[in-house]
Amino acid sequence: MASPHMIPKQAEMDNVVRRIYRGLETKSQLKNTILVLCGDHGMNDAGNHGGSAEGETSPALVFISPKLSSISQGVECPATPSSGDFGFYGKVDQSDVAPTLAGLLGFPVPRNNMGVFIPDFLRFWAKGDSVRLLKQNAEQVLGVVQETFSTVSFDDNPHSEACEDIAFDGARLACLWFRVRTLGYIKGQQHDEKTEEAALHAFLVQGQKVMSNTASNYSIGKLYLGTATGALAMLWTSVRLSSVLLQKWIFGAWFSLVILAYGITMFASSYVEEEHQYWYLVASTWLWWLGMKQGRVRSRVRSVIGAVVPLVFMRVLRGWNQTGQKYASQPDIARGVFPHHNYLLWSLVFVSYLVTLVKMSIPSHAGKTQSLFSVTAMVVCMMGLAFRISFTMADSPELLRGIQVSSAFTLGDLNLVMQTRIVFCGIVFYAVGIIISDREGRSNSKPVTRMSTPVMPRLISAGVEEQRKLEALHGVLTLFLMTQSRVTNVPLFALFEIQWQIIASMDLSDVEISLTSIILQYSSFFAFGGSNSISSVDLSNAYNGVSGYNAGAVAILTFCSNWAGPLWWTTAALLLLGRRQPGASKSLRQFQLLSTCFIANANMFVMVACTLLRTHLFIWTVFSPKYLYTLAWGLGQHLCINMTASTLYIWLGT
């Protein structure tokens, strides 16, 4: 990572290691101590980890002790790579550390460990003792291998060819072990010690290689049960939607294509790592098609504008945060432009808060309280902007370089926790005020005719006043999400608002609005810098307003920070659905049914991919994190937001 802080930090840690080593040299009680210095992971060019790139899976490992001078003359330092980018002195598997430390300490190797004793340390023992040490390691690995290949006999070798030429893993390992037995190591017969070590080491290395690529300890029955449950959910939602998809067959083709193409990409690790590319392509194509479709009822010029402008905005969003693995280190707007153009950043931030203020200032009903709502909205937005400035001064002061910040634009000497709580209280106070004042206003006015259903109480099409109230609540949500987002991502909400206005000008059906929301939920997630890697989880705003240990609050704040874009487009879609009359009472149910159908199909494809590819090299670094993200999309975004919170949002607004 090309950071100016890296060299000073490395020098500091070098000094720490030097002091520890001097202690090992000078203190008699530490003469048998070994210092193991290792990294738990590496890092890619963007400074992230958790993926499968070589830089992320190649951490450093150093054994340091004065006693090592008896078996080693030291190594040249600094070294140049001998192979690839990270092959300096030699490579060992992570699992090799456990049996090596166990041997050095005189402990038995952990039962299910698949590591191989590092050969360099065998020189501590006489040849006979080193062979016995390797034999104990090999017998321990043999036990794991025999459990995996229970149908293979390890007592004989019916194959005539060389062990290395046998295709079946179990038979090849049995052949290598039979070679060990025929040399008589188990019976204690004497042979050339180098040959003994070579044979044992060959079995250990091959056993480690085979077992590292073999699925173990999986509950296959539960995997199949989960997949079958997902298939039933996919079938049920597809049947429920079949009439709509057949009646509107063009939309049905689009919806089916989006799901099918998404499902196919889940079976390739590179597509999973670069999933954002898929959603940017789908969003651009879908918005272009919607714009061109308007040409049937509009002039050709307006049709072209409606098709081209969304594409321009999608291109800007695509370059906002580089994510994924392959291009994560490439220049983008958030990290490549804003740090060098601070005035541009803060101008856009100010515009974003101004747009949100306008949205919030729309009263839930006309009356004497309109001025009060406008003033309150202005105060709450100013507090949000002041907190964002204070947070940036503490977290990313380089984004304020060259800008003089007056104390009038901050919340004084209050700490960030208290500032956040003030902003949150202001947001809650304003939202509650909208709801309560609206109900009081309606109690003194003539009743409004409503449409109701047994499932969704007093749904959506209740008039202009209620639509304004929904927009005000949407503005409140936007302010909260801006509080939970990085300052470089705050201008995205202004871009979302422009996109929303363009989409609102189109004559779209309920199902088209619903699919638009689903697509933009996913594309906005990646535009904010999200990915399918655990390393991309943004924790910078996870503790806003939290001073102690509160796992529940941190979990909610983390979700809102990372899913800010999807949350925004959920309520934005509900606003679009609320503008449609008549028949708007079915809009929310269609939106939720389409969302359920998509998430059921997505879950199904991911579960099948993880089950079939459970022996894949990247099962833990690519597919397992994707499965966790799928759970977050299904439980967090779909169940909690698209299903529960959207119903509550409409109920509060009507």
Side-chain angles (χ1 to χ4, degrees), residues 159-174:
H159 301 277
S160 59
E161 66 267 35
C163 298
E164 291 76 13
D165 296 333
I166 300 175
F168 178 54
D169 291 335
R172 185 167 63 255
L173 291 173

Side-chain angles (χ1 to χ4, degrees), residues 108-372:
V109 180
R111 178 178 178 181
N112 292 318
N113 180 265
M114 290 306 302
V116 179
F117 191 92
I118 299 176
D120 292 339
F121 290 96
L122 290 175
R123 284 174 283 180
F124 270 129
W125 287 269
K127 284 297 181 181
D129 293 334
S130 64
V131 170
R132 281 192 292 272
L133 185 65
L134 282 180
K135 171 194 162 186
Q136 293 173 359
N137 192 184
E139 288 177 336
Q140 173 263 326
V141 171
L142 176 65
V144 181
V145 170
Q146 286 179 318
E147 290 181 4
T148 304
F149 300 100
S150 57
T151 60
V152 178
S153 173
F154 285 79
D155 296 327
D156 53 22
N157 178 31
H159 301 277
S160 59
E161 66 267 35
C163 298
E164 291 76 13
D165 296 333
I166 300 175
F168 178 54
D169 291 335
R172 185 167 63 255
L173 291 173
C175 178
L176 291 171
W177 182 250
F178 184 77
R179 180 188 297 174
V180 171
R181 296 184 76 249
T182 54
L183 288 175
Y185 305 138
I186 306 303
K187 297 179 181 179
Q189 299 179 11
Q190 298 299 318
H191 296 279
D192 179 67
E193 292 176 341
K194 290 185 178 180
T195 305
E196 296 176 4
E197 287 188 8
L200 284 166
H201 193 262
F203 171 78
L204 284 167
V205 171
Q206 190 61 221
Q208 181 186 63
K209 179 180 179 181
V210 170
M211 296 304 297
S212 296
N213 295 311
T214 301
S216 60
N217 298 327
Y218 285 109
S219 179
I220 303 299
K222 292 181 180 179
L223 289 176
Y224 290 157
L225 178 61
T227 303
T229 304
L232 290 176
M234 180 181 69
L235 180 63
W236 179 80
T237 54
S238 299
V239 171
R240 289 289 305 272
L241 273 176
S242 59
S243 59
V244 176
L245 299 180
L246 292 175
Q247 182 181 3
K248 302 179 179 180
W249 65 271
I250 297 180
F251 169 81
W254 267 102
F255 186 69
S256 302
L257 181 61
V258 170
I259 291 179
L260 182 61
Y262 176 81
I264 293 175
T265 62
M266 292 300 100
F267 291 85
S269 60
S270 296
Y271 284 112
V272 173
E273 290 177 333
E274 307 297 320
E275 183 183 337
H276 57 286
Q277 305 287 6
Y278 171 78
W279 286 111
Y280 290 151
L281 174 63
V282 170
S284 300
T285 307
W286 172 251
L287 293 176
W288 173 83
W289 184 80
L290 290 180
M292 294 301 295
K293 189 169 71 76
Q294 302 304 306
R296 301 175 183 176
V297 295
R298 297 181 177 183
S299 66
R300 178 168 297 183
V301 175
R302 294 186 63 184
S303 175
V304 172
I305 294 176
V308 172
V309 173
L311 294 181
V312 174
F313 278 100
M314 284 306 305
R315 185 61 189 90
V316 174
L317 293 178
R318 183 173 183 172
W320 203 272
N321 284 289
Q322 291 286 2
T323 184
Q325 292 290 330
K326 294 182 179 180
Y327 307 104
S329 61
Q330 297 299 312
D332 55 29
I333 296 175
R335 292 172 295 183
V337 176
F338 288 152
H340 306 288
H341 300 84
N342 295 345
Y343 284 96
L344 173 62
L345 168 63
W346 288 102
S347 297
L348 294 175
V349 169
F350 180 79
V351 170
S352 301
Y353 276 93
L354 183 61
V355 171
T356 303
L357 172 62
V358 173
K359 201 84 170 182
M360 291 175 58
S361 299
I362 300 176
S364 56
H365 61 85
K368 298 180 180 179
T369 59
Q370 180 173 354
S371 299
L372 177 62

Side-chain angles (χ1 to χ4, degrees), residues 9 12 14 28 133 158 204 206 277 284 312 418 479 532 561:
K9 177 56 66 174
E12 176 187 347
D14 282 346
S28 58
L133 185 65
L204 284 167
Q206 190 61 221
Q277 305 287 6
S284 300
V312 174
M418 187 57 64
L479 179 60
N532 287 323
S561 298

Side-chain angles (χ1 to χ4, degrees), residues 333-563:
I333 296 175
R335 292 172 295 183
V337 176
F338 288 152
H340 306 288
H341 300 84
N342 295 345
Y343 284 96
L344 173 62
L345 168 63
W346 288 102
S347 297
L348 294 175
V349 169
F350 180 79
V351 170
S352 301
Y353 276 93
L354 183 61
V355 171
T356 303
L357 172 62
V358 173
K359 201 84 170 182
M360 291 175 58
S361 299
I362 300 176
S364 56
H365 61 85
K368 298 180 180 179
T369 59
Q370 180 173 354
S371 299
L372 177 62
F373 273 102
S374 299
V375 172
T376 306
M378 183 179 299
V379 172
V380 175
C381 284
M382 290 180 63
M383 290 192 304
L385 178 59
F387 164 75
R388 181 48 54 200
I389 294 174
S390 299
F391 189 94
T392 305
M393 292 174 63
D395 183 63
S396 303
E398 68 277 5
L399 296 177
L400 285 166
R401 189 181 297 116
I403 299 178
Q404 296 295 327
V405 179
S406 172
S407 59
F409 290 98
T410 63
L411 295 179
D413 297 329
L414 295 176
N415 59 52
L416 291 177
V417 173
M418 187 57 64
Q419 291 186 39
T420 311
R421 291 176 178 177
I422 292 175
V423 175
F424 285 170
C425 289
I427 291 174
V428 173
F429 173 79
Y430 186 79
V432 172
I434 291 176
I435 298 171
I436 294 177
S437 65
D438 179 81
R439 295 186 183 279
E440 291 178 352
R442 284 206 302 257
S443 64
N444 298 323
S445 60
K446 296 181 180 180
V448 179
T449 303
R450 303 180 184 275
M451 299 182 65
S452 62
T453 68
V455 181
M456 305 298 173
R458 301 187 308 180
L459 201 60
I460 299 179
S461 58
V464 176
E465 295 298 329
E466 293 180 353
Q467 181 67 17
R468 290 179 176 176
K469 180 181 177 182
L470 289 174
E471 291 183 4
L473 291 176
H474 177 66
V476 173
L477 173 66
T478 303
L479 179 60
F480 169 72
L481 296 178
M482 289 196 296
T483 305
Q484 286 301 114
S485 300
R486 291 180 179 271
V487 66
T488 53
N489 287 336
V490 169
L492 287 173
F493 292 100
L495 296 180
F496 289 166
E497 182 64 28
I498 298 175
Q499 276 188 311
W500 184 87
Q501 294 291 344
I502 295 174
I503 295 172
S505 66
M506 301 179 182
D507 183 20
L508 303 182
S509 64
D510 291 345
V511 291
E512 289 174 335
I513 293 175
S514 300
L515 180 57
T516 302
S517 174
I518 294 172
I519 293 174
L520 292 180
Q521 284 178 36
Y522 278 85
S523 60
S524 63
F525 171 79
F526 294 106
F528 270 77
S531 74
N532 287 323
S533 175
I534 301 299
S535 63
S536 66
V537 176
D538 183 9
L539 298 176
S540 60
N541 293 282
Y543 292 84
N544 286 349
V546 180
S547 59
Y549 179 79
N550 193 325
V554 171
I556 294 174
L557 292 174
T558 301
F559 178 80
C560 293
S561 298
N562 291 271
W563 267 260

